[in-house]
Amino acid sequence: MAGVCATLITSAPAMAGPDGAMIYADLCASCHAETRLGGTGPALIPESLGRLKGDRLEAVIAEGRAMTQMPGFRGTLSATEIAAVAAYVGTPLDATPGWSEADIEDTRSLRDDYTPAPAPVFSGDPLNITLVVETGDHHVSVLDGDSFAVLDRFETPFAVHGGPKFSPDGRFVFVMSRDGWVQKYDIWSLAEVGRVRAGLNSRNIAMSADGKWLAVANYLPATLTILSTTDLSVARVIEVAGRDGRASRVSAVYQAPQRESFVLALKDVPEIWEIATTQDGGPFHDGFVHSNEAGMIEALGAEQGLFARRRIMVAAPLDDFFFSPDYRNLIGSNREADTGVVVNLDVGREIATLPLPGMPHLGSGITWERDGRRVMATPHLTEGRLSVIDMKDWGLVQTIETNGPGFFLRSHANTPYVWADVFTGPHRDEMHIIDKQSLQIVTTLNPAPGQTVAHTEFTRDGRHALVSIWEDDGAVIIYDAATLTEVKRLPMRKPSGKYNVWNKITFEDGTSH
């Protein structure tokens, strides 16, 4: 395709410049859609690009983006052609697309053939089920966590993005695609319940602590959509804008179970939002408070009750979050900075900075107890190292050098090890096994030479670790977590994330939340 594009360009009149629209259609539309509204990749319009413009946008087109499917085109396109593509995607559409509550409701469909089973239709432990997202052909495999039999394999919306979320009892799971579709699946019945399109270009989903509400973080439009988990109907669509009125994409939404709230990372404004998920939320005051005396209500912009919003101002937008186990402290990072910040959610302000260069991937961070103190660890997306941080004084405990940039860390309370993939570069076929106390690499596994090996998940009891060969003709490898020996290998179509019901609903330290 690139050769066709080059031929078309060189055959054009000598004075004509490269056609950015033509290049986009040839090289970009398969991921970002002909409409530029997003597919497997995000929407490429000014409203979604935000601060990414000019030289910075051209640099992304030329070099690609670390740890994403976005390749670099420096070897395919000239600097002039790259500039033409950047100018094209930076051009506003004739009409900015919206996605209203009515639009969402028009897409909602519940399966006529779905009948909830009174008990699991399989004999295994329903809380030891592991879901495997297979991005190669857009399916999810449902694995029995004891026998590792595939109980079901169901089709998902196109390009699943972000981790599936389970109801608190572990019965239902919700899956979201990059183009905003949300699917509800009944694990007991091994059947889809229904689906709805909650946005046009979405980032992830989060479940409320009581299991009643599902929040969908949207890039396009700049909204948070809240759905009823019962029937996927719209409970609220919240437009997201900073205190100055500037619209912002939502980078991610998280459940804060002890706080009974959702916490939002905002891409374009220096704020964190907290959204109450109970009727007694707030009051949260958006502006000047005349008096905080009990019983006084003289304040500007107060919100109270279900879905009340609280703003927390920060120094710069934070793209990626990690939380302390009690959800009092939030650790955030900005992809443009070489530090992280700690925000205390109780007092609503930054309380510490962390030395985290190399684009830390906090969303894959994990915690554990070491020498009587709780530590957290995070990989770095652009350099071969892990940072281990003391969560009491926020000091750097140790930097662990690895064989290349990693994407995922995983562990379990019943294992002494952290499993860390390398993911990119010549060592992408390696998995480091790290002792949680000594912080030393014990061994390095290489189960599929030359192929990408990534993302570990444990069974409920921590006895087995499941690792992906992240290729179209890949597999899930099951290891004995104590002996580090391979037990079984299950062929899969580009398996990416794996999610154990028990580990997710109990917020196991060793898995991302």
Side-chain angles (χ1 to χ4, degrees), residues 24 32-39 41-45 93 97 200-201 220:
Y24 176 90
H32 299 278
E34 293 182 5
T35 60
R36 293 162 48 203
L37 294 180
L44 294 182
I45 60 176
L93 299 177
L200 296 176
N201 192 248
L220 185 70

Side-chain angles (χ1 to χ4, degrees), residues 10 30 42 77 81 112 144 174 187 202 208 210 253 325 349 425 452 477 483 497:
T10 55
S30 60
L77 302 174
E81 291 166 342
D112 293 334
D144 182 303
F174 297 80
I187 294 173
S202 304
S208 62
D210 59 11
V253 59
R349 61 178 176 83
T452 301
I477 307 172
T483 65

Side-chain angles (χ1 to χ4, degrees), residues 321-333:
F321 288 173
F322 181 81
F323 295 89
S324 59
D326 59 8
Y327 282 79
R328 294 184 61 195
N329 291 304
L330 174 156
I331 300 90
S333 67

Side-chain angles (χ1 to χ4, degrees), residues 108-116 184 191-195 231-232:
R108 184 168 66 97
S109 63
L110 301 179
R111 294 287 294 261
D112 293 334
D113 57 353
Y114 166 69
T115 301
K184 181 179 180 180
E192 178 178 339
V193 179
R195 60 180 69 187
D231 60 2
L232 299 177

Side-chain angles (χ1 to χ4, degrees), residues 47 50 219 221-223 239-250 266-269 273:
E47 294 85 354
Y219 261 21
T223 59
E239 294 187 2
V240 179
R243 184 171 284 174
D244 61 1
R246 184 160 39 117
S248 177
R249 296 165 290 173
V250 184
L266 304 189
K267 184 75 173 177
D268 304 305
V269 296
W273 281 16

Side-chain angles (χ1 to χ4, degrees), residues 137-428:
D137 62 354
H138 314 291
H139 280 73
V140 166
S141 284
V142 184
L143 295 186
D144 182 303
D146 296 309
S147 68
F148 302 111
V150 178
L151 303 176
D152 188 27
R153 190 172 186 268
F154 63 91
E155 186 176 4
T156 67
F158 183 72
V160 168
H161 192 258
K165 296 299 183 289
F166 298 94
S167 58
D169 62 0
R171 172 165 185 166
F172 297 101
V173 66
F174 297 80
V175 178
M176 189 211 76
S177 66
R178 192 63 183 263
D179 56 357
W181 282 96
V182 175
Q183 176 185 32
K184 181 179 180 180
Y185 180 86
D186 183 347
I187 294 173
W188 281 20
S189 305
L190 299 178
E192 178 178 339
V193 179
R195 60 180 69 187
V196 66
R197 193 175 189 183
L200 296 176
N201 192 248
S202 304
R203 295 296 297 172
N204 78 321
I205 54 178
M207 173 78 64
S208 62
D210 59 11
K212 293 181 178 180
W213 314 110
L214 190 78
V216 184
N218 296 317
Y219 261 21
L220 185 70
T223 59
L224 181 77
T225 300
I226 301 178
L227 305 172
S228 166
T229 57
T230 302
D231 60 2
L232 299 177
S233 61
V234 178
R236 184 79 57 88
V237 175
I238 301 174
E239 294 187 2
V240 179
R243 184 171 284 174
D244 61 1
R246 184 160 39 117
S248 177
R249 296 165 290 173
V250 184
S251 295
V253 59
Y254 304 87
Q255 178 197 151
Q258 293 92 326
R259 305 180 67 82
E260 297 185 311
S261 66
F262 294 125
V263 179
L264 278 63
L266 304 189
K267 184 75 173 177
D268 304 305
V269 296
E271 300 179 15
I272 295 166
W273 281 16
E274 186 170 18
I275 305 290
T277 58
T278 60
Q279 295 289 348
D280 58 356
F284 302 133
H285 303 291
D286 211 22
F288 175 74
V289 179
H290 179 69
S291 173
N292 285 306
E293 182 180 350
M296 298 293 289
I297 57 172
E298 297 179 41
L300 299 178
E303 292 198 11
Q304 189 166 2
L306 185 63
F307 309 138
R309 180 205 58 216
R310 175 194 181 202
R311 296 184 195 266
I312 298 174
M313 308 305 295
V314 290
L318 300 176
D319 297 323
D320 197 13
F321 288 173
F322 181 81
F323 295 89
S324 59
D326 59 8
Y327 282 79
R328 294 184 61 195
N329 291 304
L330 174 156
I331 300 90
S333 67
N334 183 309
R335 287 203 169 199
E336 300 174 6
D338 60 0
T339 60
V341 298
V342 182
V343 178
N344 184 282
L345 295 176
D346 289 344
V347 301
R349 61 178 176 83
E350 296 178 17
I351 61 170
T353 59
L354 302 174
L356 292 175
M359 201 183 294
H361 188 216
L362 294 174
S364 271
I366 61 173
T367 74
W368 67 90
E369 290 289 331
R370 178 178 183 266
D371 297 333
R373 296 174 74 94
R374 182 159 290 272
V375 298
M376 65 163 285
T378 180
H380 295 251
L381 299 181
T382 60
E383 58 185 11
R385 63 176 51 186
L386 310 175
S387 290
V388 182
I389 303 292
D390 188 304
M391 297 190 73
K392 185 173 183 179
D393 61 16
W394 304 112
L396 179 66
V397 175
Q398 188 168 316
T399 297
I400 303 173
E401 301 297 326
T402 62
N403 288 341
F407 201 77
F408 299 104
L409 294 184
R410 289 294 184 268
S411 188
H412 190 280
N414 294 334
T415 178
Y417 305 124
V418 171
W419 293 54
D421 56 47
V422 176
F423 202 79
T424 59
H427 297 277
R428 69 186 187 280

Side-chain angles (χ1 to χ4, degrees), residues 73-90:
F73 289 94
R74 183 179 297 281
T76 305
L77 302 174
S78 69
T80 304
E81 291 166 342
I82 288 171
V85 176
Y88 173 67
V89 301

